[in-house]
Amino acid sequence: MCGIVGYIGNKDAYPILLKGLKRLEYRGYDSAGVALLNGEISIYKKKGKVSDLEDHVRGKETKSTIGIGHTRWATHGEPNDLNAHPHHSEKGLFTIIHNGIIENYAVLKKTLMDQGMSFYSETDTEVLANLIEYIYTSQDVSVESAVALALQKVDGAYGLVVISTEDPNLMIAARKSSPLVIGLGDKEYFIASDATPIVEYTDRVIYLNNDDMALIRRDELVLKNMGSNGTSVNIQTLDLGISEIEKQGYDHYMLKEIFEQPRSIEDTFRGRIHPDTNEIRLGGLHAVKEQLVNAKRIVVIACGTSWHAGLVGEYLIEDMARIPVEVEYASEFRYRNPMIGPDDVVLAISQSGETADTLAAIQLAREAGALVLGICNVAGSSISRETHAGVYTHAGTEIGVASTKAFTAQVTVITMIAMMIGKEKGLLSEDRFAKLISELNNIPGKIEKILEQNEEFRRIAEIYKDATNVLYLGRGVSFPVALEGALKLKEISYIHAEGYPAAEMKHGPIALIDEKMPVVFIATRDSSYNKIVSNIQEVKARNGVVIAIVTEGDTAIKEMADHVIEIPETDPVLVSLPSVVPLQLIAYHIALMRGCDVDQPRNLAKSVTVE
Ligand code: G6P
């Protein structure tokens, strides 16, 4: 969601904040702002990208060694200069940046207005700034106490940083649900909503816990917990290189991340699959393996692309491990009084590990007594901490808002889980298991071959870039791939696209088919191959345009389809890994040709920390 950065030390704060905001821009990009404290507070804010803010600030006074910055993804109030963060209190004593939502802001605002306070923006954050100031001036307490008392009155989620002219050598950070990390330098501290702005200055970090409040001065950091937990200070070493968060010669992060997939998939299975002993070892699940293997039911909870990975998981786990699987949108699960109990294993999938709905669903499942496991990409994230056990995907930092390499890494992990259970239960023979391990090992090489066809994908994109609707169809594990292909296209090119199980086409989408609508089939060879060939014929019989992803050497579909994309032959269990790649690249090229901002599509955010 929004991005937070703060600096206190002896260096010039503004360049550090600006660079940090550029690194954080993938989290939100409708407006940006900085506040610099140098005796007085200077606040600069601008609707649009961080580069618009940079233009706006050029030539203005920026001297300061303490400051805060924010990139916004609007929740309360439209994106404009006024609603951008930082927000200041009425008298200007307090300035604040905030991620999350203050749910009772309307009630608080009314109370403050009744006390005569006035407001300039529509945001919940300004309400908090004024609440802090009101408590500070009316109760004669310290800056620290005013912030703590104000936060006691707040319902909702926050990751926030406050600076004040009343105590100009202090920066206060506080967290409830919305992540914050503090970087420890030499007589300097960095604070951010994720580690990307910090990594080039220090690798020593502290992730704040829920209800933590950090009082940060140049030579001192004091951590307190405002809840009942007490806080434990755990200094960690960042496992993140600067090269990971740069584009490294690619035009866009999304393109870089698509091309990283051979490596990110390999990083995800390396050290976990053991062809020599014919084993899969997932260290994070070791302690709960028995419970997992004997699960009566597995419930997957996730959002967006991670939900699609969960759907692939449903096919794989039911097929190989014979455990019934239900795949739930976290946002639905949490609000519908779900049937869940101690016999269930819940598998939460999340790239960021911070998605608010997934976190809330985890909480609910834990309270109901279920064993909750996580598949996360971001180490130390809230979801990885709130689950009982889990497996990290080692996809590396994903910055493009449209998820690509995280999806294939998630599918890799779920495949390993399904195989591990299947073998443990004696459902997969030693031979079949060995074959699957060797097939998994070969996936990166197969994806390399697909990436070599990028020019062909660009050519197909050129032909269909002006489409207004696109239908994606697949069966079995290729149905979630169809959903994911459609999601990629609509997210970044704003073309309406739908994914459907191919056979369901007859119950609705077939009515849409005409010579203008491209229909993308994922039609690789598996047990339902003949059925999908029939579906292609049904589309062709109605003058539809067919783009088909097929197994290398397929001649039958070549004769019917307008375009075929050949991918190397792959065991049907693993085929979603290579088959999604052409869809990612076609969406990328179409978006680019339509002049869309590929890495930062409108209205979307990388990590959705509000419901
Ligand atoms: C947002 C992102 C998607 C992502 C979804 C779930 O919508 O734009 O790319 O799939 O959130 O995020 P998570 O971090 O939980 O996987």
Side-chain angles (χ1 to χ4, degrees):
M1 201 100 302
C2 312
I4 277 183
V5 62
Y7 175 77
I8 177 166
N10 296 308
K11 297 194 185 102
D12 216 0
Y14 177 64
I16 294 172
L17 299 179
L18 191 68
K19 198 163 192 189
L21 290 180
K22 286 183 178 165
R23 297 239 187 268
L24 285 170
E25 199 166 23
Y26 74 103
R27 296 177 66 104
Y29 34 84
D30 62 41
S31 53
V34 290
L36 303 160
L37 181 54
N38 188 11
E40 321 180 323
I41 287 259
S42 310
I43 299 179
Y44 304 112
K45 323 200 271 191
K46 205 69 201 151
K47 178 180 172 184
K49 297 285 176 80
V50 175
S51 55
D52 296 312
L53 173 73
E54 189 175 11
D55 291 343
H56 172 65
V57 177
R58 196 164 290 124
K60 300 205 168 75
E61 180 53 61
T62 57
K63 203 171 149 35
S64 158
T65 53
I66 167 168
I68 53 182
H70 191 266
T71 57
R72 179 166 185 251
W73 186 87
T75 54
H76 288 70
E78 64 166 286
N80 59 26
D81 293 356
L82 215 53
N83 288 333
H85 294 218
H87 284 285
H88 63 81
S89 56
E90 191 181 38
K91 296 194 178 75
L93 305 183
F94 293 87
T95 304
I96 174 170
I97 49 177
H98 163 224
N99 285 356
I101 290 185
I102 310 293
E103 281 164 7
N104 58 339
Y105 87 105
V107 180
L108 294 171
K109 188 170 184 174
K110 179 161 186 324
T111 314
L112 293 169
M113 286 172 92
D114 289 346
Q115 299 302 318
M117 281 188 126
S118 61
F119 292 81
Y120 61 84
S121 78
E122 301 156 74
T123 64
D124 51 345
T125 306
E126 188 195 359
V127 175
L128 185 54
N130 272 342
L131 179 63
I132 298 171
E133 185 173 275
Y134 177 73
I135 292 173
Y136 180 75
T137 48
S138 63
Q139 298 188 16
D140 193 22
V141 289
S142 67
V143 164
E144 170 197 337
S145 303
V147 174
L149 289 169
L151 291 179
Q152 280 172 18
K153 297 192 183 304
V154 158
D155 294 335
Y158 52 77
L160 57 87
V161 188
V162 187
I163 49 177
S164 171
T165 49
E166 296 296 286
D167 194 343
N169 294 308
L170 173 68
M171 181 177 271
I172 300 180
R175 169 198 168 143
K176 184 176 223 152
S177 299
S178 203
L180 283 180
V181 52
I182 298 176
L184 317 180
D186 180 17
K187 293 206 174 8
E188 61 180 356
Y189 292 94
F190 307 82
I191 177 114
S193 40
D194 67 49
T196 49
I198 294 178
V199 59
E200 58 204 282
Y201 306 106
T202 176
D203 63 355
R204 295 172 64 233
V205 296
I206 296 172
Y207 288 92
L208 292 194
N209 290 316
N210 260 340
D211 296 318
D212 272 359
M213 184 158 132
L215 307 169
I216 313 169
R217 297 179 188 276
R218 286 178 182 80
D219 51 4
E220 186 190 42
L221 167 67
V222 177
L223 272 185
K224 297 183 171 177
N225 190 275
M226 299 177 292
S228 50
N229 292 335
T231 203
S232 54
V233 180
N234 184 8
I235 298 180
Q236 299 184 25
T237 306
L238 269 185
D239 181 20
L240 175 67
I242 191 81
S243 60
E244 252 191 67
I245 56 171
E246 301 203 316
K247 285 192 205 139
Q248 294 182 299
Y250 286 92
D251 288 341
H252 297 94
Y253 283 111
M254 182 181 178
L255 188 63
K256 171 185 170 237
E257 287 157 7
I258 292 172
F259 272 81
E260 277 174 347
Q261 289 177 109
R263 186 195 53 73
S264 53
I265 291 173
E266 192 167 341
D267 285 349
T268 299
F269 68 61
R270 189 186 305 115
R272 291 165 164 172
I273 61 174
H274 300 274
D276 42 340
T277 51
N278 210 21
E279 260 184 305
I280 286 180
R281 281 185 236 135
L282 298 169
L285 297 183
H286 186 68
V288 295
K289 192 166 163 190
E290 207 182 311
Q291 207 174 337
L292 176 59
V293 169
N294 294 315
K296 296 274 171 298
R297 181 172 76 136
I298 294 179
V299 180
V300 176
I301 47 176
C303 304
T305 288
S306 299
W307 186 81
H308 294 160
L311 277 185
V312 175
E314 176 179 11
Y315 285 90
L316 301 188
I317 295 172
E318 293 199 343
D319 180 36
M320 291 193 268
R322 306 305 291 153
I323 299 174
V325 178
E326 284 168 33
V327 187
E328 300 263 6
Y329 287 114
S331 54
E332 288 296 315
F333 176 84
R334 64 181 287 201
Y335 284 120
R336 64 167 176 73
N337 194 13
M339 303 257 298
I340 194 97
D343 288 340
D344 295 313
V345 172
V346 168
L347 187 56
I349 308 176
S350 174
Q351 186 285 128
S352 62
E354 302 296 346
T355 302
D357 281 321
T358 310
L359 260 169
I362 288 171
Q363 201 54 45
L364 195 147
R366 282 186 71 123
E367 281 160 18
L371 171 70
V372 185
L373 310 177
I375 299 178
C376 276
N377 195 39
V378 179
S381 57
S382 304
I383 291 178
S384 67
R385 292 191 289 171
E386 294 294 317
T387 42
H388 294 113
V391 184
Y392 281 120
T393 47
H394 294 306
T397 308
E398 191 180 67
I399 290 184
V401 167
S403 186
T404 52
K405 64 175 179 170
F407 174 78
T408 44
Q410 289 164 343
V411 170
T412 304
V413 167
I414 299 173
T415 307
M416 290 191 290
I417 292 178
M419 286 170 62
M420 184 187 80
I421 304 176
K423 176 153 189 266
E424 202 70 22
K425 288 174 88 167
L427 298 167
L428 290 179
S429 68
E430 289 285 330
D431 279 359
R432 173 78 180 129
F433 191 80
K435 169 140 193 301
L436 282 176
I437 284 200
S438 126
E439 282 276 312
L440 191 53
N441 235 330
N442 292 335
I443 291 288
K446 292 181 182 179
I447 293 183
E448 291 285 3
K449 281 188 79 178
I450 295 171
L451 294 171
E452 283 165 16
Q453 300 176 54
N454 189 23
E455 191 43 41
E456 171 64 6
F457 306 146
R458 212 194 57 74
R459 214 176 52 75
I460 294 175
E462 181 76 53
I463 300 170
Y464 297 106
K465 65 177 189 305
D466 298 319
T468 44
N469 293 292
V470 181
L471 189 60
Y472 289 73
L473 301 174
R475 303 178 79 117
V477 282
S478 297
F479 162 52
V481 174
L483 290 175
E484 179 58 11
L487 179 63
K488 287 301 82 117
L489 187 71
K490 72 183 133 194
E491 276 181 316
I492 60 172
S493 73
Y494 319 139
I495 294 175
H496 171 247
E498 274 190 71
Y500 246 80
E504 275 293 304
M505 172 183 72
K506 289 196 276 301
H507 302 286
I510 200 163
L512 300 171
I513 289 168
D514 62 15
E515 65 288 350
K516 288 203 280 297
M517 186 162 95
V519 184
V520 180
F521 277 94
I522 298 106
T524 49
R525 223 175 256 120
D526 61 15
S527 57
S528 56
Y529 175 78
N530 290 334
K531 308 268 177 218
I532 206 145
V533 169
S534 307
N535 297 138
I536 293 176
Q537 276 161 339
E538 285 155 11
V539 171
K540 285 313 295 175
R542 286 155 185 87
N543 295 322
V545 184
V546 170
I547 304 161
I549 296 181
V550 300
T551 309
E552 218 163 45
D554 186 316
T555 48
I557 295 181
K558 212 175 212 161
E559 283 175 15
M560 287 175 249
D562 298 78
H563 305 275
V564 292
I565 293 168
E566 295 190 43
I567 66 168
E569 181 152 19
T570 305
D571 191 289
V573 160
L574 297 169
V575 76
S576 60
L577 291 167
S579 65
V580 75
V581 176
L583 305 183
Q584 297 168 338
L585 278 166
I586 289 172
Y588 169 80
H589 290 301
I590 290 183
L592 207 61
M593 288 168 192
R594 290 166 69 96
C596 301
D597 188 337
V598 170
D599 281 335
Q600 294 172 357
R602 70 183 179 206
N603 304 339
L604 296 175
K606 183 69 188 157
S607 124
V608 179
T609 51
V610 293
E611 30 170 321

